[in-house]
Amino acid sequence: MQTADFDIAERDDGGASLRLTGDWTTAGMDRRAQRLDRALAGRRITGIDLTDMGRFDTSGALALFLAGGRDGLPADAWAARPEAGRLYAMVETLERESGTPPRRSDAFTRAFAKVGRGVYDIIGEMMLSLAFLGRLIVATGSALKHPGRIRWPAWFSQAERAGLDAIPIIATTNFFIGAVIAFLGANLLTQFGAGVFTVQLVAVSVLREFAVVITSVLLAGRSASSFAAEIGSMRMNQEVDAMQVMGVNPFQALVIPRLAAMLVMLPLLTFVGILSGLLGGMLVTWSELNYGPSFFIQRVIEDPKMDVHLLVGMLKAPVFAIVVAAIGCRQGLAVAGDVESLGSRVTAAVVQAIFAIIFLDAVFAMIFLELNL
């Protein structure tokens, strides 16, 4: 095999004469095509010498066509090698008849298309979520109809991992949230001579909003991601498919235990968060305003609306629990067979769960406002 090469000579007619040597094939050209393209930039080929050219294939034909531009080669270029001319003509026809590259759209069109794809993805996620919700309702009804099939060890195991193991982080976070609220209230309200109302500020904000929301957000980052990762890993290893082959319903084995664990543990964790938040607020009011623990507790107990605030906060907990568990399991079951899909689904589980919690909290706020609660 002879390596392809070329020589270019200027002609009197202002064009260039191209002399090809060696094998103009895929194996013989190496980087000669790029060199030929640079050497012929802006030149018109008016003559070609094929006397010393060896073998010739479609790669060589394509290189000559691209280097020669849309004007192509002279009509008599392939007189000495008609078989190579036929190959070149076929490549030239295919290239000329091939579709032109799509015109690059402007920035506004690309932005509009990106928004459209985003809306399409959102609608698709909503449809898949509704389908998952339907299957979840059917599986829950089946579990209630046949309680003997419930896998109680899985329920208790998930309750321990999703609930009891989260108590330290839940208590610590809510403690500091209550302390921060008390600091802000003591700093602002004392300027108006109303520092005593810091107790009500801490109690209402912790009982009604912060305890349940902070607890749910923490479990969204802790448990929803765990559910998505665990079930997604089983999907990647085809363990979910193996369950279906053996006649085991994946919803009964994987989704229902996690949902039940969250439904039981989130209200309990919310109550732990309430106690921790009130403790943090109480310590700050004691240190900053010299209101002792007995005074703090007395002010909370004597307020007739505190039980309503506690009820409002605890009513949100089961709804948030269902949302966190359902989104985590739904994203886990949607994992494909690659690691990239697992990572994106775990991220989506956390983001969607936190967004759903904030959105539902706003909906609850409007509902309770209309109900005067």
Side-chain angles (χ1 to χ4, degrees), residues 330-351:
R330 179 257 185 276
Q331 294 296 333
L333 290 173
V335 171
D338 55 285
V339 179
E340 183 180 358
S341 175
L342 178 62
S344 62
R345 289 296 177 177
V346 171
T347 303
V350 176
V351 173

Side-chain angles (χ1 to χ4, degrees), residues 224-248:
S225 60
S226 175
F227 294 166
E230 291 171 357
I231 299 177
S233 298
M234 297 179 69
R235 286 277 298 175
M236 291 177 56
N237 296 329
Q238 298 182 346
E239 295 178 36
V240 177
D241 298 332
M243 286 183 179
Q244 293 176 330
V245 171
M246 291 185 296
V248 178

Side-chain angles (χ1 to χ4, degrees), residues 66-99:
L66 296 177
R70 286 290 170 178
D71 294 335
L73 300 179
D76 58 347
W78 304 100
R81 296 286 298 273
E83 76 286 356
R86 289 191 294 270
L87 191 61
Y88 176 84
M90 180 186 69
V91 172
E92 182 182 24
T93 302
L94 291 175
E95 285 295 314
R96 292 186 184 278
E97 293 180 354
S98 61

Side-chain angles (χ1 to χ4, degrees), residues 115-158:
V115 172
R117 286 193 296 269
V119 173
Y120 178 82
D121 293 339
I122 291 174
I123 295 175
E125 282 290 320
M126 291 176 60
M127 297 300 294
L128 293 175
S129 299
L130 289 176
F132 176 85
L133 181 61
R135 295 182 62 187
L136 180 60
I137 293 174
V138 172
T140 304
S142 177
L144 296 176
K145 185 178 179 181
H146 305 284
R149 300 178 184 176
I150 295 178
R151 295 170 173 81
W152 294 108
W155 287 38
F156 287 108
S157 175
Q158 292 297 332

Side-chain angles (χ1 to χ4, degrees), residues 138-299:
V138 172
T140 304
S142 177
L144 296 176
K145 185 178 179 181
H146 305 284
R149 300 178 184 176
I150 295 178
R151 295 170 173 81
W152 294 108
W155 287 38
F156 287 108
S157 175
Q158 292 297 332
E160 179 182 3
R161 294 167 56 189
L164 297 180
D165 293 346
I167 289 179
I169 185 65
I170 297 296
T172 304
T173 305
N174 280 281
F175 175 85
F176 286 112
I177 291 294
V180 168
I181 296 172
F183 271 120
L184 293 175
N187 184 34
L188 293 175
L189 295 177
T190 50
Q191 299 178 12
F192 305 99
V196 69
F197 292 106
T198 304
V199 177
Q200 275 78 3
L201 175 64
V202 172
V204 171
S205 58
V206 170
L207 290 172
R208 193 180 184 95
E209 292 292 338
F210 284 107
V212 63
V213 172
I214 295 300
T215 301
S216 301
V217 169
L218 289 175
L219 288 183
R222 186 181 183 276
S223 299
S225 60
S226 175
F227 294 166
E230 291 171 357
I231 299 177
S233 298
M234 297 179 69
R235 286 277 298 175
M236 291 177 56
N237 296 329
Q238 298 182 346
E239 295 178 36
V240 177
D241 298 332
M243 286 183 179
Q244 293 176 330
V245 171
M246 291 185 296
V248 178
N249 188 345
F251 272 74
Q252 295 285 351
L254 301 177
V255 179
I256 297 298
R258 289 169 170 80
L259 179 64
M262 289 296 295
L263 196 58
V264 173
M265 297 308 300
L266 186 54
L268 297 179
L269 292 175
T270 300
F271 186 72
V272 172
I274 289 174
L275 296 180
S276 301
L278 292 177
L279 177 61
M282 182 177 64
L283 293 179
V284 170
T285 55
W286 189 6
S287 61
E288 294 293 321
L289 302 176
N290 294 322
Y291 298 149
S294 58
F295 177 81
F296 186 96
I297 296 173
Q298 182 180 1
R299 292 281 298 182

